[in-house]
Amino acid sequence: MATSAQRRQEIAAGVWDDLLRTLYGSSEAVLARQRARWCAALTDFERYFGPGRQVHLYTAPGRAELGGNHTDHQHGYGLAAAVNLDLVGVVARNEDNYIRVKSWGFNKLDVVDLDEPNPQASESTHSASLIRGLAEGFRTQGKQVGGYDAYTTSDVLRGSGLSSSAAFEMAMGAMMNEEFDCGLTPIQVARLGQYAENIYFGKPSGMLDQLASALGGVIFADFEDPALPRVEKLRAKGQMPDGMVLCVTDTRGSHSELTAEFAAIRHEMEAVAACFGCNVLGEVREAEFWARLPEVRAACGDRACLRAMHFFEENARTLAEDRALRAGQFGRFLHLVGESGHASFALCQNVYCASTPARQELSVALALSQHLLEGTGGAWRMQGGGFAGTIQAFVPRECLERYCAAMEGVFGPGSCHLLTLREQGAGRVL
């Protein structure tokens, strides 16, 4: 263990370049940027919490949803990959039983008194609620978490569909787990992240995002039993052909204030499930749904029925995508990606908010992607919860310059990001 100043000197001198290469790639420009970023995080930690303290450094990746849009919370399948955009955290333990977290870009300090385990109304939908919920989650597992001071900086696009919230949750969860020797598995920590998000933050999310950030790589998850999901990790290396690049375009419309829209998808799907005496659509036989469609329409309305259709289609498609990747059939995988994108428009209806039809950033980005990539062998889809944020596109390398220029011409400089898949999940790295 070293002080913040010692770690900063080592990183600036290139001592930890091999570590940075495993996380971000070998480009010298990228290495220089990450050295500067990590050094700045250590400097800012000192600014808020004082110099001379012994620290650890953590990282937690964002994720790209590859398949399974709004299927995990219905006990279906999910397919996702950790990416090179990540959260970096500097942490030092304290002795006063408070967790204090300062995050770059936010004009507040989260202060959580660990003697108060219950959800606080003033923290709902704020990051402090996630910290408190995680700490209480550890306690429910018989693990005692103490106080710490942390500074975080994240390049996971906030409110974008790359799951900046899961990266934050898994960074905090890793800090609690490793600083206090709790010994939970990454899957257990991911489950506590979902608990904090559902109960303390107030967002009825599934667990796919947390699993991808916690485990790294490409993961396929079966949520038939959400308390014990069956998770298989595919190595990130080799999943993306050399001639194809994964791009995400930030349409500059944040979905961070759209919790009610996300919740409506889950509530409507579960209303349909209730017609069959079930809690979630994963428990409903698809053939029975189609046979009783007139009755379900009358009880739940058309949008709920369309979203149920989306679940059944998307769930089967996600399983097919997983099989295509395992078989090395990337063309087949891309065809399924395109089908998923169309289903978001027609069935799930989470590409834009019906209450604000003049704002359709995702729709424009998807239409432009179709104009640019149709017939090239590429594919495009919305990702994440939807309604705003980012789209993803698999772009042939020969089309990359034209594609990025066109997207940034509409959505602004720096809006198109080239991603690489990342093998490492959330955890302590120094």
Side-chain angles (χ1 to χ4, degrees), residues 379-399:
W380 50 95
R381 74 190 281 270
M382 187 214 70
Q383 66 167 11
F387 302 108
T390 62
I391 68 153
Q392 69 177 224
F394 293 87
V395 182
R397 195 168 294 278
E398 61 270 19
C399 304

Side-chain angles (χ1 to χ4, degrees), residues 239-261:
Q239 295 302 330
M240 188 80 65
D242 290 340
M244 194 68 66
V245 180
L246 174 58
C247 299
V248 296
T249 297
D250 180 4
T251 65
R252 309 284 169 88
S254 172
H255 69 207
S256 59
E257 302 299 325
L258 294 169
T259 297
E261 295 283 358

Side-chain angles (χ1 to χ4, degrees), residues 123-134:
E123 293 175 354
S124 178
T125 72
H126 295 284
S127 52
S129 67
L130 299 173
I131 300 167
R132 192 181 303 279
L134 278 160

